[in-house]
Amino acid sequence: MAGRGVTAPQQQIGLRTRVIASFVVLAAVLALVISLATYFLVQNSVVERREEVARNLAFTDARLVREQLLDVADRGAPAGRVSADVLQRSPADGVVVLRYGDIVHHTGSSFIDGSFNPQLDLPTDLTAVVADHRTGLQRVRLKGVPVLVVGIPLRIAGADAATTGLPSAGSGPTAWAEYYEVTSLADIEQSLQRLVIVLAVMGVSATVAGAFTGRWVAKRVLAPLVEVNDAVHALANLSFDTKLPATRDPDLAPLVSTFNHTVQALQERIDRDGRFASDVSHELRSPLTTLTNSIGVLQRYDQELPEPAQQAVALLGEEFERFQQLIGDLLEISRFDAGAQRLQRSPLVIGEFVRHAARLTCPDAVPVRIDADLEEAVIMADKRRLVQVLSNLAVNAQKYAGGVAEFTVRRVEGGLELAVLDRGPGVPASDRSHIFDRFARGATAGNRGNDQGTGLGLALVSEHVHLHGGSVRVEDRPDGSSGACFVVFLPANPVSIYDTEEDFEAAGIGPDQ
Amino acid sequence: MTRILTVEDDERIRASVKLALEGEGWAVEESENGERAMEVFNRAPTDVVLIDIMLPGVDGFEVCRSIRKVSDVPIIMVTARDDTHDIVAGLEAGADDYLTKPFAPKELSARIRALLRRTRAAEPALSHLRFGDLEIHQDEGVVTVSGVEVHLTRTEFKLLCELANNPSRVFSREVLLERVWGYGYFGDGRLVDVHIRRLRTKVEQDPANPRHVVTVRGLGYKLQI
């Protein structure tokens, strides 16, 4: 949208951004919810299943261990040996811990390193439960490995505490052992981690897809807006053939219809203004022709008139000339307003042209300084308008600034600069921006006593130059002398008259344009 | 005595122009519309015709074309609009020059004087020139292409002679304006362009690919040897 003239205030987020953001947020939230639900469902079912299996296995193993314990206990073998033997024969593949009185034995395992110490590493919550003769199950992390610990109290019925050295529960004859089976959950955790990665990737993908969908939707939704914007932009450039295509969309139809009506109304209005200017111009020209011819006849027989009548004729002549100039300028500027101005370019040899213009506009010989390579260079320009530009600048200098000091032409990037230097006091910085406004008069020009200007001269300079795609500015004289320097920049690709046909063609220069 | 016919529907302009031109010592015939203009023109020999484009009924272009059919008298079109289309159309209809209202009497008489000079201009140059199939007999005012005489207006003839007397020299539009029309440097280059175009339709076998009157890009025109 940038470059088409639409700029949102900086604090406000654009509609397009908001639509995309909504889609992104929606996609992200949905992905997050689905991922979390999936993760916890999978985790629960897998872990629960594993717990059930582990519990069943542990119970089976525990029963076997208990029977063997009872068996050896009956035979009066020493407890330490007994428990070690029993554990050797345990079918469990995880770590098995047997606490039998003060004696603790355990088997090793591949998934926990050798420093495993059952006394310290078994979770105390669980050992407390088992010590209370209840079965317990807990998921913990042992040495960084996720494990499931199942604890089962074993009642060694009938064992004689005195002979076996087994601890008795309380003062009763019954002795207890504690059996723990530790199962690794590393594989489950790994699977779950993998699941998390998959879900994360899916979540990110969904969010990105959301962003793309949002962009597409925004584009679809904003397409009419962009079209309207383009149309309005074209309208701003006074291109009145701009029309929005008819639409059946009930939300857009009123806008399209209003826009097209506005364009049409504007066009009619501008056409009317243009016709008015042209009609006024035509209507004024006839009486002006009669007046100028009649005044011409009066002036011719001037000598035959009495003295006061001669003075009156002289005044009439002067004032009529000024009036005619004003009408001419007004008509010219009204044609700019009506957008009816067209360039009529023809090839101009720069040196020749500027020297002629200087001679035409200045009564005394004024120096003309032209870059050597531009002296015999050709550009395409509207001769009539450029003459008016130089002549209005020269007239301005003569009326308000003691005359033209120098005309210069130099090559600059992208074109050339024509400058008119005067001998006046210069233009104060505060006046420089509006000196080219219509009827703007600088401080020195405020006095109307013998002011012969129309107040439109510099405005017309600006209009003519802009029609050429150029610009005009006023600055101090570059040589440091007192006076203003009016600089006209014209975009051009000057071609030397000695260049080839191809060079001329490339620069778009030909006599019949 | 030089006779000037002015065709103009606005009575006041007609009267003031008549006064101004009579002040120059010329005789002025008037016509307020196109139909009467032809009658007045046919009644007595006329030296210059001034035609307003906007006329009731038969318009100025039509009057210009009608006169051109029977005469190569110098014609000045007068227009109230500086509309390119009107000006070019007037020149295409055969006018030699144009003036935009409001014109000063001095300007008008200068234009008329330039046209009168042109008619009597006798070039002190070679009287007979030949460029391939194009032959120019300057003293007789005759131009032939492949032996067939072509009819040129006085302005076209003057333009061709200017080019032909310095063959291969490039004439800028400004120089031609000055020499043929008597304008200074800042005259309207379209005058030259339109007349060159009309000249080509008469002296070139293929006006779109001229062999005699050629364009020199950016500089102007020349007559090719």
Side-chain angles (χ1 to χ4, degrees), chain A residues 278 281-282 284-297 299-301 324 332 335 344-349 352-354 356-358 360 378 383-384 387 497 501 504-505 508-513, chain B residues 8 10 12-14 16-17 19-24 54 79-82 84 100-106 108-109 113 172-174 177-178 185-190 193 197 200 215-221:
Chain A
S278 148
S281 146
H282 184 230
L284 278 174
R285 278 165 201 269
S286 297
L288 282 176
T289 308
T290 307
L291 276 172
T292 181
N293 276 287
S294 304
I295 291 172
V297 172
Q299 282 167 337
R300 169 177 287 274
Y301 299 106
Q324 216 172 342
E332 181 100 42
R335 278 199 297 273
Q344 217 161 63
R345 291 181 190 266
S346 62
L348 293 182
V349 180
E352 184 184 288
F353 173 78
V354 176
H356 266 105
L360 175 85
V378 185
K383 186 163 76 173
R384 185 185 71 85
V387 173
I497 59 170
E501 284 276 301
F504 278 83
E505 198 143 346
I509 291 173
D512 286 317
Q513 287 179 27
Chain B
E8 163 68 65
D10 187 319
R12 285 169 296 248
I13 295 181
R14 222 165 52 227
S16 68
V17 166
L19 277 173
L21 294 181
E22 281 174 349
E24 297 281 337
M54 304 268 272
T79 165
R81 296 184 289 174
D82 30 346
T84 301
T100 334
K101 287 181 192 170
F103 48 84
K106 276 182 195 151
L108 174 60
S109 41
R113 246 180 244 116
S172 73
R173 307 194 309 171
E174 284 70 28
L177 271 172
E178 207 160 350
Y185 180 86
F186 293 111
D188 186 346
R190 287 172 298 181
D193 295 338
R197 212 149 59 222
R200 280 175 180 162
T215 297
V216 182
R217 268 180 184 279
L219 298 180
Y221 303 97

Side-chain angles (χ1 to χ4, degrees), chain B:
Chain B
M1 192 184 200
T2 301
R3 282 168 49 94
I4 295 163
L5 167 59
T6 158
V7 189
E8 163 68 65
D9 59 324
D10 187 319
E11 195 189 323
R12 285 169 296 248
I13 295 181
R14 222 165 52 227
S16 68
V17 166
K18 184 177 155 86
L19 277 173
L21 294 181
E22 281 174 349
E24 297 281 337
W26 295 321
V28 180
E29 293 288 334
E30 298 169 274
S31 165
E32 74 277 7
N33 61 45
E35 290 87 347
R36 235 183 75 79
M38 287 312 289
E39 279 173 40
V40 177
F41 182 78
N42 290 328
R43 209 164 51 207
T46 304
D47 297 293
V48 175
V49 183
L50 219 61
I51 308 172
D52 185 42
I53 290 179
M54 304 268 272
L55 291 174
V58 178
D59 69 11
F61 302 122
E62 199 49 51
V63 176
C64 184
R65 272 190 290 269
S66 307
I67 292 178
R68 214 21 109 225
K69 269 180 210 155
V70 296
S71 162
D72 58 4
V73 62
I75 299 175
I76 300 176
M77 295 299 274
V78 176
T79 165
R81 296 184 289 174
D82 30 346
D83 183 325
T84 301
H85 181 76
D86 275 7
I87 292 166
V88 172
L91 296 173
E92 300 276 10
D96 297 273
D97 204 345
Y98 75 89
L99 270 177
T100 334
K101 287 181 192 170
F103 48 84
K106 276 182 195 151
E107 206 184 337
L108 174 60
S109 41
R111 298 264 70 76
I112 292 174
R113 246 180 244 116
L115 285 171
L116 290 171
R117 257 200 315 276
R118 195 179 315 164
T119 36
R120 298 183 196 111
E123 294 291 321
L126 284 171
S127 68
H128 181 244
L129 295 164
R130 191 189 171 100
F131 304 92
D133 60 355
L134 174 67
E135 279 181 79
I136 306 165
H137 305 270
Q138 295 202 66
D139 44 359
E140 295 160 48
V142 172
V143 174
T144 61
V145 176
S146 305
V148 180
E149 185 178 342
V150 291
H151 190 83
L152 300 184
T153 66
R154 291 176 213 181
T155 305
E156 289 156 5
F157 184 71
K158 180 91 194 318
L159 183 59
L160 182 61
C161 289
E162 277 301 332
L163 294 169
N165 284 325
N166 288 289
S168 291
R169 174 188 157 179
V170 179
F171 290 86
S172 73
R173 307 194 309 171
E174 284 70 28
V175 166
L176 290 172
L177 271 172
E178 207 160 350
R179 295 206 175 183
V180 179
W181 281 267
Y183 276 96
Y185 180 86
F186 293 111
D188 186 346
R190 287 172 298 181
L191 273 174
V192 181
D193 295 338
V194 175
H195 278 86
I196 289 279
R197 212 149 59 222
R198 263 200 347 234
L199 185 59
R200 280 175 180 162
T201 63
K202 295 180 179 177
V203 303
E204 299 283 355
Q205 304 284 1
D206 176 7
N209 294 299
R211 282 176 44 238
H212 300 302
V213 184
V214 299
T215 297
V216 182
R217 268 180 184 279
L219 298 180
Y221 303 97
K222 67 173 180 178
L223 197 81
Q224 191 99 309
I225 303 175

